[in-house]
Amino acid sequence: QQQVKQSPQSLIVQKGGISIINCAYENTAFDYFPWYQQFPGKGPALLIAIRPDVSEKKEGRFTISFNKSAKQFSLHIMDSQPGDSATYFCAASRNNAGNMLTFGGGTRLMVKP
Amino acid sequence: DADVTQTPRNRITKTGKRIMLECSQTKGHDRMYWYRQDPGLGLRLIYYSFDVKDINKGEISDGYSVSRQAQAKFSLSLESAIPNQTALYFCATSDRLFLNEQFFGPGTRLTVL
């Protein structure tokens, strides 16, 4: 049973468009929600993260929106670029469990020129 | 991340063979992790180690064992490989003071025939 569900599994966006990836979680004890970005042949790398005390966090073109009551969070990539083509993973962890990460299934994003 | 290295990068083996995947890090982190990545399932935790003498099972430890030879080295073994262990394997590290960010190696692609 996946505790963090991610959708869609794949996404194609035109250059300049907005990419949106959604995640839903079940465990209300989760208190840290990162997104990891993985390029082909590489390991995942932390992209951006949020804690549940805020509803939005923005870093450049990347924004996390967080809805605590719905137990959902999403990644928005504004002005998507071909260089953003990668696999994105949402994750969740809880401080009192050693901060172990539970990952979503991943979304393969392709940004077409 | 060049600070976390994995060997081999690719391996093809046969059912029943013993396989060892190795991970080394120069980040000075005390925590190390082994994950496997399968399409649609994201990354799932196999084993983790908070220091040399502290090794713990993760979500999917059956069929795997680990050894923490030193703070910088963490090896994953498949005692008798089976085809459903065909996957991409990642090693990761984190710092005990900054638990939430994990740094991943480049991965090992393992194929069991």
Side-chain angles (χ1 to χ4, degrees):
Chain A
Q1 182 184 5
Q2 254 186 329
Q3 292 194 52
V4 180
K5 295 184 179 180
Q6 184 172 346
S7 63
Q9 282 196 322
S10 63
L11 181 62
I12 300 174
V13 174
Q14 290 295 130
K15 179 182 176 182
I18 301 173
S19 303
I20 301 175
I21 304 171
N22 300 299
C23 283
Y25 63 96
E26 298 171 6
N27 189 343
T28 56
F30 286 141
D31 57 9
Y32 175 75
F33 302 89
W35 286 88
Y36 279 76
Q37 180 187 53
Q38 182 185 29
F39 292 107
K42 305 289 186 182
L46 180 64
L47 179 64
I48 187 173
I50 196 169
R51 292 198 179 275
D53 52 345
V54 297
S55 60
E56 186 175 281
K57 183 174 182 180
K58 184 176 180 180
E59 290 184 1
R61 295 184 294 109
F62 300 90
T63 300
I64 300 179
S65 297
F66 185 82
N67 186 329
K68 189 174 182 178
S69 61
K71 293 187 289 184
Q72 294 175 349
F73 59 110
S74 60
L75 176 69
H76 295 236
I77 307 174
M78 311 300 289
D79 187 25
S80 299
Q81 299 296 313
D84 297 330
S85 297
T87 299
Y88 293 82
F89 295 97
C90 63
S93 70
R94 50 194 176 105
N95 186 51
N96 64 359
N99 299 91
M100 307 309 298
L101 290 172
T102 299
F103 285 88
T107 296
R108 180 173 288 186
L109 171 66
M110 179 184 294
V111 180
K112 290 194 168 182
Chain B
D1 192 316
D3 298 322
V4 183
T5 57
Q6 293 183 234
T7 55
R9 293 294 312 278
N10 288 283
R11 182 73 183 267
I12 300 174
T13 190
K14 294 182 179 180
T15 298
K17 294 290 187 181
R18 184 178 187 274
I19 295 296
M20 178 180 285
L21 308 183
E22 299 185 334
C23 177
S24 295
Q25 54 113 347
T26 58
K27 300 186 78 67
H29 291 169
D30 47 359
R31 297 188 172 197
M32 298 187 74
Y33 312 80
W34 276 105
Y35 292 90
R36 66 176 280 174
Q37 181 179 348
D38 299 277
L41 297 179
L43 294 106
R44 292 180 292 165
L45 184 64
I46 306 172
Y47 270 94
Y48 60 101
S49 171
F50 285 173
D51 63 40
V52 174
K53 296 182 180 180
D54 181 10
I55 293 178
N56 305 278
K57 293 182 177 180
E59 179 186 353
I60 53 164
S61 59
D62 287 350
Y64 301 95
S65 63
V66 291
S67 173
R68 185 84 183 263
Q69 300 95 325
Q71 187 194 34
K73 296 184 182 295
F74 193 35
S75 299
L76 176 72
S77 293
L78 289 67
E79 296 301 325
S80 179
I82 55 177
N84 77 359
Q85 290 177 316
T86 292
L88 195 52
Y89 290 84
F90 287 100
C91 172
T93 73
S94 68
D95 186 281
R96 61 180 171 169
L97 296 179
F98 302 97
L99 299 172
N100 290 308
E101 182 171 6
Q102 293 188 12
F103 296 84
F104 286 80
T108 294
R109 184 168 296 280
L110 177 66
T111 303
V112 183
L113 301 176

